[in-house]
Amino acid sequence: DVLKIYKSFVDGLDDVKDRELVKTIIAISKSMELGVIAEGIETKHQVETLYNMGCELFQGYYFSKPLSAAKIRSWLPKT
């Protein structure tokens, strides 16, 4: 259902080959009607670069370090 862009590729976004591979992963996910998520996001630059390539789901320390179930409840907005 979802293709994952591993952290090693995210870390290499400034490298032409890694950037092209990431673009290809995103294109494949779109053509197969799959989601795509980038892991290991640590900077705003990575989010912006990947978003501009068509990636819309992200995970990594840029947003939060891993949290316990109890802590995540207090981190999420109240509804």
Side-chain angles (χ1 to χ4, degrees), residues 26-37:
I26 293 169
I28 289 169
S29 73
K30 302 279 185 196
S31 70
M32 296 179 69
E33 298 181 3
L34 299 171
V36 63
I37 186 166

Side-chain angles (χ1 to χ4, degrees), residues 1-59:
D1 294 325
V2 177
L3 290 177
K4 182 179 277 192
I5 301 169
Y6 287 101
K7 182 180 183 339
S8 61
F9 299 124
V10 170
D11 289 343
L13 284 174
D14 292 328
D15 177 75
V16 174
K17 289 181 182 179
D18 282 350
R19 192 170 44 252
E20 290 304 316
L21 182 56
V22 168
K23 286 181 186 178
T24 301
I25 293 168
I26 293 169
I28 289 169
S29 73
K30 302 279 185 196
S31 70
M32 296 179 69
E33 298 181 3
L34 299 171
V36 63
I37 186 166
E39 74 169 12
I41 301 298
E42 296 179 352
T43 68
K44 183 177 180 180
H45 172 72
Q46 290 170 330
V47 173
E48 291 171 345
T49 301
L50 290 160
Y51 183 80
N52 289 332
M53 290 180 181
C55 183
E56 296 179 351
L57 298 173
F58 310 94
Q59 68 183 56

Side-chain angles (χ1 to χ4, degrees), residues 60-74:
Y61 284 179
Y62 176 73
F63 302 101
S64 175
K65 291 188 177 184
L67 301 172
S68 68
K71 286 189 177 183
I72 200 165
R73 286 186 198 101
S74 66

